[in-house]
Amino acid sequence: MAAFDVEQCRQQVTSEDTSTDCSSNLDQGCHNKDSVSSLDSPQKSTGGIFRSGGTAPTAVCLSKAAIGAGVLSMSAHAAEVGLVFQLLGLLAGAALTLVSIQMIARASVQTQRWSYEDIGEELFHPAMSMLTGFMNVCNCLGSAAGYLIICGQVFQVVSGASSSMRQLFVVLVGVLICGPLALARHVSFMRHLAAWSVGFLMLLVLVVVIFLGENGTDETLTPTNFWFGSGAVSIFAYMNSANNIVFAYNNQFNVPQLTGELTPEPTVKRMSMVGIITVILCFLLFASVSVFGVLAFGVGDNQQDSLVLDLRPMGRNPLVLLSLLGVMLSVLTCFQFHVYPIRQFCGFAERKLRGRAVEEADVEWKGRTVSRWIDMAVSLTSVAIVIVIAVVVTSLKTILDFIGAFASAWISFVVPALWQLQLLRRREDFSWVHYKTLGCLALLGLGLFFFVFGTYSAIIAAE
């Protein structure tokens, strides 16, 4: 988040009461400028459709948080279960994601809190924040590891390198690129990179379409297995396809801080518009990859772990090479969006352990606050853990299926539904049979189903 200027905050407080804590007078709060456990209040920006805090750039950032590794394994799942199930699942995922984004934005605005941990503490208890933070950390570590796995796959396809060289390349990318990115203070500064990276993924879709045009539909396809799958897969394949869809749309962990970055002020209405733009963009890209990926590469053994590996035979083609390098840039851009929630959780935990309030000034050491030093240590430690996971685990599909069920379902559906229920219970006209309450309960039940059965399905498929 944009670093907050405490002096600027004070100047915005009315002159009649300059001694008042600015956090009680500003809608977004005046948090410690070195803390990442809550969103720092953004400075207002002027001019330009792509300005920081604008609707369009916020939608691009939120889209980029979702459009990453999941899209690359989309056609592999579609080849197993068929396009009918896949496209219906993508439509349902888009609708549920939009509802979830609106719930999170409403909780953020009504509580004036800009992280999962602070909202959970405000509405429930610090224990709830710790559990949610732990799930968020699992989600983001797994996702970030998936991005490094993709980088390794791109390197192998482009260079023909061995497995040991792939591992070395993953380590170097993690240390030299992901490490510095993880230290960035805010998310919205990446809006231009995010726009470029989304464009590169669209280029990848174009490359698949060109491959399809040059080679025709794959010989393994029939009308039946194209629309309905081979029929030889178990129910776990359908569950894992749903897990991947949940993971692919998962961007809710960035919604609180991006809501707070909206200028001139955060509102549920504007964040809802951001959500609409986001899910439309994601659905179009996911659906395109599913359809053209299956048409181009078929079903069965012809369909690889990801589109990157599917394009291996064309790895020397200049356009394919450009698109693969663009994919690498795209997933590395995603990396920052997934490290930030880990830093938020650790900042929240650090603040609780030290007994320090959000607004309380922190002790400085060597020109930086203690919180900022801890934040940087957490960032680099997170990168180190991600590197280890990416070196050990080579299957992108396996890790995404598990993360989609275990962590993404909890973050995307369970927690937002619980927050919304708690907000509804605070109203005098609350009723358990009201349609809003029943909708929250339905979303909660769906999230718990994915969390339990989806996780079991991912584990069974990995054995």
Side-chain angles (χ1 to χ4, degrees):
M1 309 304 94
F4 187 79
D5 188 334
V6 177
E7 196 60 36
Q8 179 188 27
C9 173
R10 288 173 179 164
Q11 291 172 3
Q12 294 176 359
V13 182
T14 57
S15 58
E16 287 81 0
D17 187 16
T18 55
S19 63
T20 303
D21 185 349
C22 55
S23 64
S24 64
N25 291 277
L26 292 179
D27 288 340
Q28 297 181 39
C30 178
H31 300 162
N32 184 295
K33 65 181 179 179
D34 285 305
S35 174
V36 295
S37 62
S38 296
L39 176 67
D40 296 340
S41 195
Q43 298 178 10
K44 298 186 188 304
S45 56
T46 59
I49 190 173
F50 220 65
R51 72 188 189 281
S52 177
T55 301
T58 302
V60 170
C61 286
L62 194 57
S63 299
K64 191 67 213 83
I67 300 173
V71 68
L72 298 177
S73 63
M74 199 67 69
S75 61
H77 284 287
E80 289 182 337
V81 301
L83 262 295
V84 171
F85 181 88
Q86 183 79 356
L87 293 178
L88 289 176
L90 287 173
L91 278 172
L96 292 171
T97 299
L98 179 58
V99 170
S100 177
I101 289 172
Q102 291 173 332
M103 286 183 173
I104 297 170
R106 187 173 294 108
S108 294
V109 172
Q110 291 191 20
T111 62
Q112 292 296 287
R113 297 293 183 267
W114 316 107
S115 73
Y116 262 71
E117 292 75 23
D118 286 324
I119 297 172
E121 182 183 29
E122 177 71 18
L123 294 178
F124 289 97
H125 188 273
M128 176 67 174
S129 298
M130 290 295 181
L131 174 61
T132 300
F134 171 75
M135 298 301 294
N136 218 353
V137 167
C138 293
N139 178 50
C140 293
L141 286 176
S143 302
Y147 301 144
L148 284 186
I149 290 174
I150 291 172
C151 290
Q153 290 181 348
V154 170
F155 178 69
Q156 281 191 299
V157 169
V158 171
S159 66
S162 63
S163 178
S164 59
M165 289 300 295
R166 179 198 71 84
Q167 293 176 336
L168 176 61
F169 180 78
V170 166
V171 172
L172 291 176
V173 169
V175 172
L176 300 179
I177 299 178
C178 297
L181 274 179
L183 296 174
R185 294 288 301 273
H186 52 89
V187 170
S188 66
F189 87 99
M190 299 189 71
R191 60 192 183 278
H192 298 98
L193 267 179
W196 276 100
S197 62
V198 171
F200 277 120
L201 284 174
M202 292 179 178
L203 176 62
L204 179 67
V205 176
L206 177 61
V207 168
V208 174
V209 172
I210 293 174
F211 181 92
L212 175 63
E214 292 180 349
N215 299 278
T217 57
D218 191 85
E219 60 184 11
T220 61
L221 281 180
T222 66
T224 300
N225 63 26
F226 176 71
W227 291 109
F228 303 104
S230 64
V233 296
S234 68
I235 191 174
F236 296 116
Y238 290 90
M239 191 68 237
N240 286 332
S241 177
N243 288 343
N244 185 62
I245 290 172
V246 172
F247 173 85
Y249 277 111
N250 180 234
N251 54 14
Q252 286 86 339
F253 47 82
N254 285 133
V255 171
Q257 59 262 36
L258 288 175
T259 300
E261 285 188 337
L262 290 173
T263 56
E265 64 177 353
T267 64
V268 177
K269 182 178 180 179
R270 285 192 62 202
M271 199 61 196
S272 296
M273 181 56 64
V274 168
I276 292 172
I277 298 172
T278 297
V279 297
I280 290 175
L281 182 60
C282 291
F283 173 79
L284 291 176
L285 187 59
F286 296 160
S288 299
V289 168
S290 298
V291 173
F292 294 117
V294 174
L295 286 173
F297 305 111
V299 298
D301 294 337
N302 288 11
Q303 192 71 238
Q304 301 298 312
D305 186 59
S306 73
L307 280 182
V308 172
L309 298 181
D310 286 329
L311 291 170
R312 188 192 296 268
M314 298 176 62
R316 299 299 179 182
N317 182 291
L319 184 60
V320 173
L321 181 62
L322 175 63
S323 69
L324 291 178
L325 293 176
V327 166
M328 188 181 297
L329 169 66
S330 180
V331 296
L332 290 177
T333 303
C334 276
F335 199 95
Q336 157 68 0
F337 291 101
H338 288 77
V339 171
Y340 197 91
I342 301 174
R343 295 164 57 191
Q344 282 188 314
F345 169 63
C346 292
F348 174 85
E350 171 263 328
R351 202 177 71 229
K352 290 300 175 185
L353 288 173
R354 296 175 62 197
R356 188 173 62 85
V358 176
E359 300 84 0
E360 184 179 341
D362 198 6
V363 178
E364 289 197 4
W365 183 68
K366 292 187 179 297
R368 299 183 185 273
T369 63
V370 173
S371 293
R372 179 56 179 159
W373 283 112
I374 294 174
D375 170 48
M376 291 191 291
V378 166
S379 301
L380 296 178
T381 302
S382 300
V383 173
I385 295 172
V386 167
I387 292 173
V388 171
I389 297 173
V391 167
V392 174
V393 181
T394 59
S395 174
L396 177 68
K397 187 168 173 285
T398 298
I399 193 171
L400 298 192
D401 290 348
F402 179 76
I403 293 299
F406 177 71
S408 297
W410 182 271
I411 297 300
S412 301
F413 303 139
V414 175
V415 174
L418 288 174
W419 287 349
Q420 189 62 26
L421 281 172
Q422 190 71 342
L423 290 172
L424 290 172
R425 289 181 67 244
R426 293 181 174 185
R427 296 171 53 173
E428 294 182 358
D429 60 347
F430 171 76
S431 171
W432 284 105
V433 295
H434 191 274
Y435 75 93
K436 290 185 178 180
T437 307
L438 295 176
C440 291
L441 292 173
L443 186 64
L444 176 62
L446 179 66
L448 291 174
F449 171 78
F450 274 108
F451 180 72
V452 177
F453 185 68
T455 302
Y456 174 75
S457 175
I459 294 173
I460 291 296
E463 291 179 350

